[in-house]
Amino acid sequence: MSLHRLRQITVGVPDVAGTTSFYEAFGLSPAAGGAFRTRDGGEQLRLVTAPWRRLDAISIAVDDADDLHRISRSLTADAIAHTINDAELNVHEVYTRISVSLVVETREEIAAPPPVPAVNSPGSVGRRNVPAESVLGASPIQPSQLSHVVVGSPNWAASMHFFTDLIGFETSDALDGIIAFTRCSEVHHNLAIQASPAPFLHHFAFEVDTADDVLRGGSNMVDADDSRHVWGIGRHAIGSNWFWYLRDPAGNFVEYTADIDRITAQDLYVPKAWAGKEFLYAYGPPIPDAFLEPPDAHAIFAAASKG
Ligand SMILES: [Fe+2]
């Protein structure tokens, strides 16, 4: 795959200043121009002013200019307007209303992943004579990288065609016509597209090092303000990722996630025929209605349908 990283998302919110402190508490580091840095991925979230919360833009890394020109030829064959030079290609997807930017960037491994904390299990004791690291006042949670974003499209098939056939995302798992989990890296899903009455931002996620960090991060956020809690801690079946979903002041759902599946080539991965609640999760607390139908969804559908 010529795509290799989800670089950044731009999220529109009505009140950028009022949303900023949430993401600082979440563990991201503020930078200039409404941007926030993850520990290992640079500036990966940008907040901009918008009349309602929404995903405005997504930026994806490609290997070289040849990749951009190949994508350009696909877009041209479908008569889709775009701009291109040897460093960057910019295009707008009309149904999700996302501005898509493809940027030439060198592949880099995450520099020095922190050591996995020692764990005790009956057959393998990794820690003796000391409590677990995470209960000893461990350092604040710092998400490693942006993991994924989930959006709604009023024309699911057309948006899927755009992102997979033209841009080059690969589909890891899909429930046809309902939702597809697609990736632009080894991460099981970087972009999930679900059918929806209007363009809609469902949630976005940042990857932390361990399930323990998902629990500790979610717990810290909810201890400070229990209205932030949405759903967690649990583990998804599709993608295997641990999750704890929180609500930011604009109403966006944002997820701490850990241990998400990696896929190196689609023909090495056998999607399962997901059934029943596996579609949503493997285990954890029951799913709240507000996760399936966010309370502001209808107002956003109405606003987005008008403009
Ligand atoms: Fe998620």
Side-chain angles (χ1 to χ4, degrees):
M1 195 194 320
S2 53
L3 313 179
H4 64 85
R5 186 169 88 102
L6 177 58
R7 299 177 68 242
Q8 188 183 77
I9 55 171
T10 301
V11 174
V13 295
D15 177 10
V16 170
T19 309
T20 295
S21 58
F22 174 94
Y23 287 100
E24 290 183 57
F26 187 82
L28 304 182
S29 307
F36 294 85
R37 301 177 67 84
T38 58
R39 186 188 66 199
D40 302 316
E43 294 182 7
Q44 294 209 276
L45 170 67
R46 185 174 298 278
L47 298 179
V48 296
T49 305
W52 60 87
R53 65 179 188 84
R54 63 193 190 190
L55 181 66
D56 275 358
I58 184 170
S59 178
I60 300 140
V62 303
D63 285 318
D64 53 43
D66 288 349
D67 296 324
L68 298 181
H69 289 285
R70 192 167 49 251
I71 294 165
S72 175
R73 285 194 292 278
S74 299
L75 294 169
T76 301
D78 268 28
I80 296 175
H82 58 282
T83 60
I84 179 171
N85 57 43
D86 279 349
E88 193 166 330
L89 183 154
N90 287 288
V91 60
H92 189 74
E93 204 279 318
V94 291
Y95 296 106
T96 53
R97 291 192 203 153
I98 301 171
S99 294
V100 179
S101 151
L102 298 148
V103 178
V104 173
E105 189 182 83
T106 310
R107 292 185 190 227
E108 281 177 24
E109 296 299 317
I110 287 178
V116 175
V119 171
N120 287 345
S121 64
S124 171
V125 175
R127 190 186 70 250
R128 287 188 166 92
N129 308 319
V130 283
E133 213 176 283
S134 67
V135 304
L136 292 172
S139 53
I141 299 295
Q142 282 188 296
S144 163
Q145 55 191 317
L146 177 62
S147 172
H148 59 268
V149 58
V150 178
V151 296
S153 169
N155 188 336
W156 186 83
S159 294
M160 282 298 295
H161 169 65
F162 177 90
F163 282 104
T164 59
D165 300 333
L166 305 184
I167 301 295
F169 279 76
E170 292 196 8
T171 302
S172 304
D173 277 284
L175 289 93
D176 196 35
I178 300 170
I179 189 167
F181 297 84
T182 76
R183 65 185 193 283
C184 60
S185 70
E186 285 191 2
V187 173
H188 177 278
H189 50 284
N190 297 118
L191 173 68
I193 301 171
Q194 57 185 21
S196 122
F200 187 70
L201 171 54
H202 186 272
H203 74 267
F204 47 100
F206 292 89
E207 187 172 16
V208 292
D209 296 324
T210 60
D212 199 289
D213 285 354
V214 174
L215 181 49
R216 203 157 56 87
S219 187
N220 289 344
M221 292 294 279
V222 171
D223 282 352
D225 178 352
D226 62 8
S227 72
R228 292 169 170 170
H229 176 70
V230 177
W231 185 33
I233 185 174
R235 190 158 195 173
H236 288 299
I238 302 177
S240 307
N241 48 316
W242 291 95
F243 63 82
W244 189 327
Y245 293 91
L246 304 160
R247 184 188 290 102
D248 80 9
N252 294 305
F253 296 163
V254 58
E255 174 188 1
Y256 284 117
T257 196
D259 196 18
I260 190 167
D261 293 340
R262 259 62 174 183
I263 299 174
T264 55
Q266 192 59 38
D267 56 5
L268 298 178
Y269 176 75
V270 182
K272 188 171 175 279
W274 304 104
K277 85 173 177 56
E278 283 180 336
F279 166 56
L280 292 162
Y281 68 116
Y283 41 84
I287 189 163
D289 291 343
F291 185 82
L292 298 174
E293 189 171 306
D296 58 0
H298 284 279
I300 291 175
F301 294 156
S305 298
K306 277 189 225 146

